[in-house]
Amino acid sequence: MARRFYLEGKSKIQIAEEFGVSRFKVARVLETALERDLVRIEIRVPAELDAERSDALRARYGLRHAVVVESPAEAEESPDPENLGEVAADLLGELVNEGDVLGLAWGRSTIHMAAALDRLPPCTVVQLTGVYDAGTAERGSVEAVRRAAQVSGGDAHPIYAPMLLPDAATATALRNQTGIARAFEHFDKVTVACVSIGSWEPGISTVHDMLSDEERAHYASLGVAAEMSAHLFDAEGRRVGRDLGERCITVKADQLRRIPEVVAIAGGQRKGPAIDAVLRSGLVTSLVTDTSAADYLMTAGPAPKSALNRTDPDGV
């Protein structure tokens, strides 16, 4: 009776006729099934979405998808509220198709997203960047890649290496290692990618935190305002400090630009300027954010070119 009612959607009257009992008997049986834990009902309350802000933000930046989440008032100042990951997981479940190659870059928001995944079509999952701290790989982006592959039933290609190396020679040597090289071979095949965005300040940009004081001052002098997957951008979305990429284990900016769908997950008022800068770069096609960041973005200077016009801006 429980199967007929909860799974097949039949009415109590239909069930009563099938089993030759009264509908009141059916009601008592269904109540007993709940009491004895034979049936469990789970109500999942989705994060509150702001449709008006979502549409306005998508139109302003020319994004393919923009999802704005109403964050709790006490979380407005915090970067990347965890509920962004839950919403991004739902969006990813709609964007990824069977046979796609899903790329995941390091970031707290992508880690939260992977943890919230409960459905994905069969696809290959590849890590797009090294990790912030190799000692935490199992709890960070490596685990995120494994989790996504487990949900999808596809192959996983993690990268067991730091994102930032001391010099270009060390980075080159690591890129040539078998496991890392195998992951890199999939970069040009990625069809959907998830990335995080960092502001150029302590605790909000992993690259900022990994550099020395002297290096931070150098890149700050170039006008860096944002970081994404170890690529630096000024306030106009131009790439700066390109030499840093030579020391990093990460997907190239040109490869990101060729990926059909790049979803950025970032929020919080403090990240507003950084999100604006990255959206102006043309590397991102879709955004999951919150109302605090969205309100900043809607008034952040002149309207930019469409994010889907993915030409390479000048940079130094």
Side-chain angles (χ1 to χ4, degrees):
M1 289 183 184
R3 283 182 179 276
R4 297 289 192 275
F5 185 74
Y6 290 107
L7 299 183
E8 298 177 14
K10 291 190 175 182
S11 69
K12 293 176 183 177
I13 294 176
Q14 289 174 315
I15 297 170
E17 292 175 351
E18 178 181 351
F19 286 88
V21 298
S22 71
R23 60 187 176 89
F24 302 104
K25 174 66 174 180
V26 173
R28 288 195 296 273
V29 169
L30 294 176
E31 290 177 2
T32 302
L34 286 171
E35 292 169 357
R36 296 183 179 180
D37 209 25
L38 297 176
V39 173
R40 297 180 183 180
I41 298 176
E42 178 181 344
I43 300 176
R44 183 181 177 189
V45 180
E48 186 176 352
L49 304 182
D50 190 311
E52 184 176 344
R53 283 185 173 92
S54 298
D55 289 342
L57 197 61
R58 180 180 55 79
R60 174 175 169 80
Y61 285 90
L63 295 165
R64 187 169 290 122
H65 304 280
V67 183
V68 178
V69 179
E70 183 71 46
S71 295
E74 62 271 16
E76 286 187 356
E77 295 300 323
S78 302
D80 301 338
E82 289 191 21
N83 61 348
L84 294 185
E86 298 173 5
V87 175
D90 288 340
L91 177 61
L92 207 62
E94 298 177 7
L95 295 180
V96 176
N97 296 308
E98 183 173 351
D100 275 347
V101 178
L102 171 63
L104 300 181
W106 194 97
R108 298 179 187 88
S109 56
T110 52
I111 292 170
H112 292 151
M113 180 277 298
L117 281 172
D118 58 11
R119 62 186 176 92
L120 269 183
C123 64
T124 298
V125 186
V126 60
Q127 191 171 326
L128 295 179
T129 64
V131 298
Y132 172 50
D133 180 351
T136 63
E138 294 300 320
R139 301 189 300 276
S141 49
V142 170
E143 179 55 32
V145 169
R146 286 178 170 174
R147 166 66 182 167
Q150 180 184 34
V151 172
S152 74
D155 294 333
H157 296 277
I159 294 178
Y160 293 94
M163 181 189 296
L164 180 65
L165 282 303
D167 51 64
T170 304
T172 299
L174 277 177
R175 292 190 199 103
N176 291 328
Q177 289 190 358
T178 303
I180 297 175
R182 188 176 297 117
F184 269 57
E185 289 173 358
H186 284 80
F187 285 1
D188 287 329
K189 304 173 186 176
V190 173
T191 50
V192 180
C194 280
V195 299
S196 297
I197 296 172
S199 301
W200 197 246
E201 55 181 301
I204 307 186
S205 165
T206 53
V207 172
H208 178 282
D209 292 347
M210 287 188 285
L211 294 172
S212 67
D213 290 341
E214 182 179 354
E215 290 170 325
R216 290 171 192 153
H218 166 66
Y219 291 116
S221 71
L222 299 180
V224 60
E227 173 259 319
M228 179 184 70
S229 303
H231 300 293
L232 309 182
F233 305 88
D234 68 10
E236 299 301 320
R238 295 183 293 257
R239 287 180 58 210
V240 297
R242 298 192 184 203
D243 60 302
L244 183 65
E246 299 174 4
R247 297 168 48 193
C248 293
I249 303 297
T250 185
V251 61
K252 295 179 180 178
D254 288 342
Q255 290 173 312
L256 277 174
R257 199 179 304 279
R258 290 193 295 270
I259 296 173
E261 186 73 78
V262 179
V263 181
I265 313 168
Q269 188 173 17
R270 293 173 64 187
K271 277 197 176 181
I275 298 170
D276 176 62
V278 172
L279 291 182
R280 291 174 184 273
S281 74
L283 295 180
V284 169
T285 60
S286 298
L287 175 69
V288 177
T289 190
D290 64 353
T291 53
S292 180
D295 286 344
Y296 173 88
L297 293 171
M298 290 306 299
T299 59
K305 295 180 180 179
S306 170
L308 302 181
N309 178 22
R310 306 178 78 185
T311 56
D312 186 11
D314 293 334
V316 293

